[in-house]
Amino acid sequence: MDLNPPVGSKISIVQNGGDPTIVIPQIKSYSRYFAGLFLLFWLGMWAMGFGATASEVLAGKAEAFEVFWLGGWTVGGIFAAYILYQCFRPPVPETLTLRRGSIVYDSGIVPPQFNAFGRLIPSSSDSWRSMFPKRHRDDLDKGALQTLRLRQTVAGNRLTIDVGAKRIEIGSGASEVEREWLAALLARRYSLPQTPDKAAIEA
């Protein structure tokens, strides 16, 4: 079976113990570095405010408002430090290891997407997930692979597989042409009876 990605694609194929692994690089997000630099300066100001107020609290000179303010300021600093870590954490590519009857899927580590890369974000919860995506690892058996769909939306195509009540988006960092190639490859390799849906348009 031809495993060659489309010409000019950044997707690569490596052999992992005899099983081919499709490696999909994450989309580069330069906006996260600007956000990270802003947070570095903000945390510097945070540290000065925290130190000044904490010294008054420890000396017993602070008013009740300053005590409550210090608590909120501490929580804000911890949250900002977590976002800073997310901004500078190295991304890990998405991988699909093609076994005989299943796929070992790893979403990798996606960098925070502060601009959503042109995709429509239908709700605030989706926007939050795009900023702080979680890493998913799944063993996609033949039953799950039956749900493979290439869905056409107003923002472009989406390649999805359902695992129980969870819907996994495959190749989020790939181009539309690369997702079409990947959908056709998986459908052929695993003899899926239903071809990817390229006709229906979803909102």
Side-chain angles (χ1 to χ4, degrees):
M1 178 178 294
D2 184 13
L3 295 176
N4 293 324
V7 177
S9 172
K10 295 182 180 180
I11 295 176
S12 60
I13 310 294
V14 299
Q15 294 294 326
N16 185 14
D19 296 321
T21 297
I22 300 173
V23 181
I24 306 174
Q26 304 291 356
I27 296 177
K28 293 182 179 180
S29 174
Y30 297 107
S31 62
R32 66 191 177 108
Y33 296 116
F34 291 105
L37 289 174
F38 170 79
L39 286 172
L40 280 175
F41 287 110
W42 188 89
L43 284 171
M45 299 295 295
W46 174 90
M48 289 188 289
F50 180 87
T53 306
S55 61
E56 291 190 8
V57 172
L58 294 175
K61 300 178 181 179
E63 297 180 357
F65 170 78
E66 291 179 303
V67 175
F68 284 105
W69 180 89
L70 183 63
W73 196 240
T74 301
V75 173
I78 294 173
F79 182 70
Y82 173 73
I83 298 177
L84 182 65
Y85 165 74
Q86 294 283 336
C87 288
F88 290 108
R89 181 176 60 171
V92 174
E94 179 181 11
T95 60
L96 296 92
T97 301
L98 309 182
R99 294 183 174 174
R100 183 177 297 274
S102 65
I103 294 176
V104 178
Y105 175 72
D106 184 351
S107 67
I109 297 177
V110 184
Q113 302 178 22
F114 295 101
N115 57 5
F117 301 104
R119 285 180 173 266
L120 297 182
I121 299 178
S123 67
S124 59
S125 61
D126 289 334
S127 178
W128 182 263
R129 285 194 294 269
S130 71
M131 290 177 60
F132 305 104
K134 296 182 179 180
R135 187 172 188 174
H136 298 285
R137 296 183 178 91
D138 292 279
D139 190 357
L140 308 176
D141 58 20
K142 198 62 177 292
L145 292 175
Q146 301 297 319
T147 67
L148 176 73
R149 296 290 185 276
L150 184 63
R151 305 172 185 273
Q152 298 296 329
T153 74
V154 294
N157 62 27
R158 297 174 60 232
L159 183 59
T160 64
I161 293 178
D162 297 341
V163 181
K166 178 175 62 175
R167 175 160 292 172
I168 300 173
E169 183 169 354
I170 305 294
S172 60
S175 69
E176 292 193 58
V177 173
E178 290 170 331
R179 282 191 287 269
E180 291 177 0
W181 165 81
L182 182 57
L185 170 66
L186 298 180
R188 290 196 309 270
R189 183 179 180 88
Y190 294 99
S191 303
L192 302 179
Q194 188 169 0
T195 57
D197 182 6
K198 298 179 64 176
I201 303 295
E202 299 181 357

